[in-house]
Amino acid sequence: IESLGFERGENEKGLFWHPERDLILLLFVDDILSEAEDEQDIDWFFDELEKRFDCKDTETLTEDTHRGKFR
């Protein structure tokens, strides 16, 4: 992830920030939460990830889709 231009959090090692894209990633085991102003930046990251790994389809978490999944 750092080879893509991300900076790793000093206090939270699972947090990454890409300063040029203002893209934030939070990693936990094999899950990734991403946040960016521009959806294209998120798409860019997952495209890069899929070039290196066999990934499942991404899922977008919204208020409607998360109900009942997390308790």
Side-chain angles (χ1 to χ4, degrees):
I1 291 176
E2 291 171 308
S3 69
L4 295 173
F6 285 88
E7 297 176 9
R8 187 175 208 157
E10 291 182 22
N11 294 326
E12 177 55 61
K13 298 297 183 184
L15 183 68
F16 293 85
W17 175 59
H18 196 289
E20 293 173 16
R21 296 179 180 269
D22 199 21
L23 173 59
I24 298 171
L25 304 175
L26 180 60
L27 282 63
F28 183 75
V29 186
D30 63 349
D31 291 322
I32 301 172
L33 178 66
S34 57
E35 175 66 34
E37 282 289 320
D38 191 343
E39 186 75 24
Q40 290 178 348
D41 290 329
I42 295 172
D43 293 339
W44 164 80
F45 169 72
F46 283 102
D47 288 343
E48 291 296 317
L49 192 66
E50 288 178 358
K51 288 178 185 177
R52 299 175 186 206
F53 302 99
D54 183 25
C55 301
K56 296 180 184 177
D57 292 338
T58 57
E59 295 181 34
T60 302
L61 187 63
T62 66
E63 191 171 325
D64 293 331
T65 60
H66 85 280
R67 291 177 193 249
K69 291 186 179 181
F70 305 102
R71 295 193 186 255

